């Protein structure tokens, strides 16, 4: 049958088949064997484009390894094919297929530790897999950039000017973090190596960096390691130079950076800066006022902010408000509030799911126990961190069941909100470990469809364990709660408004990271193409598996319980006592992240 098809038709058919089907066809007939062998470049290039989203303008896959990194979904780490040698279209497809299966728990994954995070407990961090470094802030003040692939320190910006519990944002070579009353903006020193097409920029006089930034830039430099043999030029990993110092008119609590715009919000106002020039391009006023013709639920204390090309999302404890970015200008009034989602609700969406037995069998669901790794020594010594690699996948996929309609309103609080790059999809995290996935946001705002019909609710374990952090990147949602570290993958129909939401999302949990006390100390989480990064205490015994039936809150003495709860509350202590002098000291924290092998 295939022998009679024109070559171009057969090539089109093969480009939509999965890799396992291609392998099967390869061994069926001599004609298909020869055809696939002779056209492997075209076949696998089409598979990479249609099935894995590789840009169609890419001619050779090995060019993904080198700057300019215009295709951020495919970092050098993501397309590394050291098991296959030189990157070809077949090996690239095999690698991307492996990553896809690792995210769903059907291929191997491992927990890896990155401890080189400076001299303080990690508060926030950002990972740049293209440039190969991690930049983090600490809970007592300071910013540190370190090599992602080795034990090298890259750059350090220490206190006192970097406040305790400083939030940081990073994108496109720009690093932004808190100084009391201002926002410091730094830029990669070798940004032209990574972004050669960026035009020159000039910062307005009122946003120029100050003397303190210039002085600390000289102190922060750490000499890079020598380049590998045969390499004459090597950029300075994670080394930054001062770019700007932004002065918001009021004291701010939350900010979010999506290149090139920085959204900064205070209690009743929000400002959008263009970080390239340091100019305020839009101002939102009176964000706490009840919006007309919408829910009159108060906004409350700010917990998060987000923005997309079309909208600004102000996330308060009591509601989420969506403002337009089309109206308002520098120094003028704010945009119009076009949507308000209150925290007090009965049923957010028609499609509601919960982890099976989450409420009926808390110990079984929230303290999942896997079989012990075989002892590697004759004496049966305690397992080492490297032994986790022998387990296989560290992701456990939960079974979801439908949730019944609630007959009374659900009292909750909003923890965080993240929008997709296009702004048409929204992830909301509630304090009670409940996740909302909203699609078709533009049509909801326009009144063409309802929030109820386009929302998926997922209860991630018992509601009594509060939420910690949310990330929504690369079509995946990462959630940290005291129930665990979760990866939620929306169903394929979620990304098409023309298809019904009749399939549940895939919910996976990083089951070795299940200590509820340490989970209470999680303060940051990030998803990249190859892994989920989260700050995790190195004192948590990753190599020790809990005994069957051991309660998540039942082990450890009371003093340890108290110490961990105090650790989790320190950021609120900082904000409530902002005018007093704080002296906070912690032991080092490290990163733990899930990555395919």
């Amino acid at each position: 049958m295939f022998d009679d098809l024109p070559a171009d038709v057969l090539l089109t058919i093969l480009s939509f088949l999965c890799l396992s089907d291609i392998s099967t066809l390869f061994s069926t007939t001599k004609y298909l064997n020869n055809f696939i062998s002779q056209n492997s470049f075209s076949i696998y290039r089409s598979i990479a484009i249609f099935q894995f989203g590789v840009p169609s303008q890419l001619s050779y896959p090995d060019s993904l390894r080198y700057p300019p990194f215009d295709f951020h979904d495919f970092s050098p780490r993501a397309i590394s094919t050291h098991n296959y040698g030189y990157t070809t279209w077949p090996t690239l497809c095999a690698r991307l297929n492996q990553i896809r299966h690792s995210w769903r728990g059907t291929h191997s994954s491992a927990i890896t530790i990155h401890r080189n995070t400076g001299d303080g407990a990690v508060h926030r961090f950002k990972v740049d897999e293209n440039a190969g470094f991690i930049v983090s802030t600490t809970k007592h003040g300071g910013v540190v950039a370190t090599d992602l692939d080795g034990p090298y320190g890259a750059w350090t910006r220490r206190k006192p000017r970097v406040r305790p519990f400083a939030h940081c944002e990073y994108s496109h070579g720009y690093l932004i973090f808190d100084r009391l009353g201002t926002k410091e903006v730094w830029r990669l020193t070798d940004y032209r190596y990574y972004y050669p097409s960026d035009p020159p920029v000039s910062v307005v006089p009122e946003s120029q960096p100050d003397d303190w930034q210039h002085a600390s830039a000289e102190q922060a430099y750490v000499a890079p390691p020598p380049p590998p043999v045969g390499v004459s030029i090597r950029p300075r990993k994670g080394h930054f130079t001062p770019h700007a110092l932004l002065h918001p008119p009021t004291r701010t609590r939350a900010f979010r950076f999506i290149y090139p715009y920085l959204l900064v919000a205070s209690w009743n106002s929000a400002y959008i800066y263009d970080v390239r020039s340091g100019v305020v391009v839009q101002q939102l006023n009176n964000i706490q006022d009840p919006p007309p013709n919408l829910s009159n639920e108060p906004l409350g204390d700010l917990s998060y902010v987000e923005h997309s090309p079309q909208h600004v999302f102000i996330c308060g404890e009591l509601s989420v408000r969506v403002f337009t970015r089309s109206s308002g200008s520098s120094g003028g009034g704010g945009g119009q509030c076009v949507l308000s989602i209150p925290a007090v609700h009965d049923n957010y969406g028609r499609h509601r799911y919960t982890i099976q037995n989450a409420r009926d069998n808390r110990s079984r669901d929230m303290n999942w126990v896997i079989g012990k790794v075989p002892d590697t020594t004759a004496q049966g010594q305690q397992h080492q961190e490297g032994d986790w690699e022998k387990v296989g996948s560290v992701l456990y996929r939960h079974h979801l069941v439908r949730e019944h309609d609630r007959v009374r309103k659900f009292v909750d609080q909003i923890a965080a909100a993240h929008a997709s790059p296009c702004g048409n999809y929204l992830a909301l995290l509630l304090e009670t470990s409940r996740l909302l996935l909203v699609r078709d946001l533009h049509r909801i705002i326009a009144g063409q469809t309802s929030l109820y019909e386009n929302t998926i609710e997922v209860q991630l374990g018992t509601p009594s364990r509060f939420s910690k952090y949310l990330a929504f990147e690369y079509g995946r949602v990462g959630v940290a709660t005291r129930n665990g570290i979760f990866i939620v993958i929306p169903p394929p129909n979620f990304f098409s408004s023309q298809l019904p939401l009749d399939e549940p999302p895939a919910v996976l949990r990083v089951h070795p990271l299940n200590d509820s006390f340490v989970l209470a100390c999680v303060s940051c989480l990030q998803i990249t193409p190859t892994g989920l990064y989260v700050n995790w205490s190195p004192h948590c015994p990753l190599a020790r598996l809990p005994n069957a039936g051991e309660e998540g809150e039942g082990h450890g003495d009371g003093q340890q319980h108290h110490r961990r709860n105090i650790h989790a509350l320190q950021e609120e202590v900082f904000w409530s006592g902002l005018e007093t002098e704080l002296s906070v000291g912690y032991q080092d924290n490290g990163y733990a992240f899930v990555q395919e092998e």
Side-chain angles (χ1 to χ4, degrees):
M1 179 181 68
F2 287 107
D3 303 10
D4 302 328
L5 292 175
D8 56 339
V9 175
L10 184 55
L11 285 173
T12 302
I13 294 174
L14 294 176
S15 66
F16 288 97
L17 298 180
C18 62
L19 296 181
S20 60
D21 292 337
I22 297 291
S23 300
T24 302
L25 289 176
F26 192 82
S27 57
T28 53
T29 68
K30 184 177 181 180
Y31 173 78
L32 286 176
N33 186 303
N34 293 333
F35 185 87
I36 295 173
S37 299
Q38 295 171 4
N39 297 276
S40 63
F41 183 94
S42 299
I43 293 172
Y44 287 99
R45 181 174 180 272
S46 298
I47 291 175
I49 293 172
F50 294 129
Q51 298 187 30
F52 297 104
V54 173
S56 59
Q57 62 267 37
L58 191 68
S59 300
Y60 297 96
D62 216 51
S63 60
L64 288 171
R65 295 175 178 266
Y66 309 105
F69 297 119
D70 295 326
F71 315 123
H72 297 288
D73 291 5
F74 305 96
S75 65
R77 178 182 293 267
I79 60 105
S80 173
T81 54
H82 56 274
N83 293 331
Y84 306 100
Y86 178 78
T87 304
T88 61
W89 285 116
T91 58
L92 177 63
C93 289
R95 172 64 171 169
L96 297 178
N97 188 59
Q98 171 191 347
I99 293 175
R100 176 178 292 179
H101 283 281
S102 293
W103 277 112
R104 293 186 173 273
T106 55
H107 200 280
S108 60
S109 57
I111 291 180
T112 306
I113 306 297
H114 180 80
R115 296 188 182 277
N116 191 22
T117 57
D119 58 357
V122 172
H123 180 59
R124 296 282 195 265
F125 63 86
K126 293 295 179 181
V127 181
D128 187 336
E129 289 190 339
N130 289 325
F133 65 84
I134 298 177
V135 60
S136 60
T137 63
T138 63
K139 296 183 178 180
H140 64 264
V143 181
V144 179
T146 53
D147 195 324
L148 183 60
D149 301 309
Y152 306 109
W155 181 82
T156 303
R157 172 76 165 85
R158 300 190 182 279
K159 57 182 184 179
R161 291 300 178 103
V162 183
R163 71 165 176 82
F165 301 101
H167 181 63
C168 71
E169 291 284 337
Y170 173 84
S171 179
H172 206 80
Y174 288 91
L175 171 65
I176 305 167
F177 53 86
D178 285 316
R179 187 203 290 187
L180 286 176
T182 61
K183 300 288 182 286
E184 292 193 22
V185 182
W186 295 64
R187 195 177 189 186
L188 278 177
T189 304
D190 296 319
Y191 72 92
R192 291 196 179 279
Y193 176 81
Y194 301 103
Y195 310 101
S197 60
D198 280 11
V201 294
S202 58
V203 179
V204 295
E206 59 268 23
S207 298
Q208 289 285 339
D210 62 2
D211 294 339
W212 188 272
Q213 285 178 273
H214 288 295
S216 61
E218 299 177 0
Q219 304 170 3
Y221 177 71
V222 177
V229 177
V231 178
S232 58
I233 299 177
R234 177 170 181 165
R236 289 166 287 186
K237 272 191 177 182
H239 183 244
F240 294 87
T241 54
H243 178 74
L245 184 64
L246 307 181
H247 302 268
T250 57
R251 177 175 291 170
T252 59
R253 176 72 186 266
F255 63 96
R256 172 78 164 134
F257 176 51
I258 301 176
Y259 178 82
Y261 298 109
L262 172 70
L263 171 64
V264 183
S266 63
W267 165 258
N268 202 32
S269 301
Y271 314 92
I272 299 179
Y273 285 88
D274 186 333
V275 298
R276 297 170 297 185
S277 61
V279 173
V280 177
V281 297
Q282 185 175 352
Q283 179 173 334
L284 307 177
N285 296 322
N286 304 318
I287 60 176
Q288 292 283 347
D289 291 354
N293 304 321
L294 297 173
S295 170
N296 58 1
E297 187 73 22
L299 184 61
D301 291 336
L302 300 190
S303 57
Y304 218 87
V305 293
E306 175 67 295
H307 62 97
S308 69
Q310 302 84 9
H311 298 103
V312 170
F313 303 84
I314 305 295
C315 181
E317 291 183 343
L318 304 179
S319 65
V320 175
R321 292 179 181 173
V322 184
F323 297 84
T324 60
R325 287 188 59 178
S326 57
S327 62
S329 60
S330 178
Q336 178 186 2
C337 183
V338 293
L339 182 66
S340 179
I341 305 176
V344 180
H345 219 287
D346 47 6
N347 299 290
Y348 288 95
R350 179 184 298 277
H351 312 280
R352 296 178 301 280
Y353 301 92
T354 185
I355 294 175
Q356 189 176 32
N357 298 326
R359 295 184 178 86
D360 299 332
N361 195 341
R362 173 174 169 176
S363 175
R364 174 185 174 184
D365 178 64
M366 293 299 106
N367 299 285
W368 175 258
V369 179
I370 60 177
K372 284 193 174 183
V373 180
D375 292 328
T376 56
T377 63
Q379 293 79 12
Q381 297 177 355
Q382 191 175 19
H383 311 304
Q384 301 299 314
E385 292 175 358
D387 293 336
W388 283 107
E389 298 180 1
K390 302 178 182 180
V391 177
S393 175
V394 297
L395 299 178
Y396 165 66
R397 181 161 181 169
H398 285 285
H399 178 66
L400 301 183
V401 295
R402 285 276 186 177
E403 206 177 45
H404 299 294
D405 288 349
R406 289 184 290 272
V407 296
R408 58 183 180 181
K409 288 187 179 296
F410 197 76
V411 179
D412 212 325
Q413 289 185 338
I414 307 292
H418 268 301
S420 63
C422 67
N424 202 31
Y425 307 96
L426 183 67
L428 286 177
L429 181 63
L430 307 182
E431 286 287 353
T432 56
S433 297
R434 179 170 290 265
L435 176 68
L436 309 180
L437 301 175
V438 183
R439 74 171 185 182
D440 222 359
L441 190 63
H442 296 161
R443 294 181 65 235
I444 293 174
I445 293 174
Q448 300 172 0
T449 186
S450 67
L451 180 71
Y452 181 78
E453 294 292 342
N454 291 277
T455 299
I456 299 176
E457 291 187 50
V458 185
Q459 182 64 50
L460 300 172
T462 175
S464 62
R465 292 184 174 181
F466 54 85
S467 302
K468 296 297 298 180
Y469 213 82
L470 173 70
F472 183 16
E473 300 166 280
Y474 305 103
R476 307 177 187 97
V477 179
V479 179
T481 77
R482 286 198 66 188
N483 288 318
I485 306 295
F486 296 91
I487 298 169
V488 181
I489 303 176
N493 289 3
F494 178 78
F495 297 101
S496 175
S497 60
Q498 305 300 322
L499 299 176
L501 289 176
D502 52 2
E503 296 182 23
V507 177
L508 303 97
R509 184 158 58 92
V510 188
H511 49 69
L513 304 183
N514 63 357
D515 188 322
S516 64
F517 295 127
V518 183
L519 285 166
C521 305
V522 169
S523 59
C524 195
L525 180 148
Q526 182 179 346
I527 291 178
T528 69
T530 65
L532 182 147
Y533 294 71
V534 60
N535 64 314
W536 190 262
S537 170
H539 307 294
C540 177
L542 286 177
R544 184 184 72 85
L545 289 169
N547 296 323
E550 188 177 47
E551 282 289 323
E553 297 181 348
H555 59 278
D557 56 23
Q559 183 179 4
Q560 185 182 33
H561 184 185
H562 176 71
R563 182 169 63 252
R564 285 173 173 171
N565 280 337
I566 292 297
H567 183 279
L569 291 173
Q570 284 296 334
E571 184 175 10
E572 295 305 317
V573 172
F574 166 79
W575 281 105
S576 62
L578 190 60
E579 302 301 329
T580 64
E581 182 178 355
L582 297 179
S583 177
V584 185
Y586 296 100
Q587 296 183 359
D588 292 354
N589 258 21
Y591 296 101
F593 65 93
V594 179
Q595 178 184 317
E596 83 295 337
E597 292 177 333

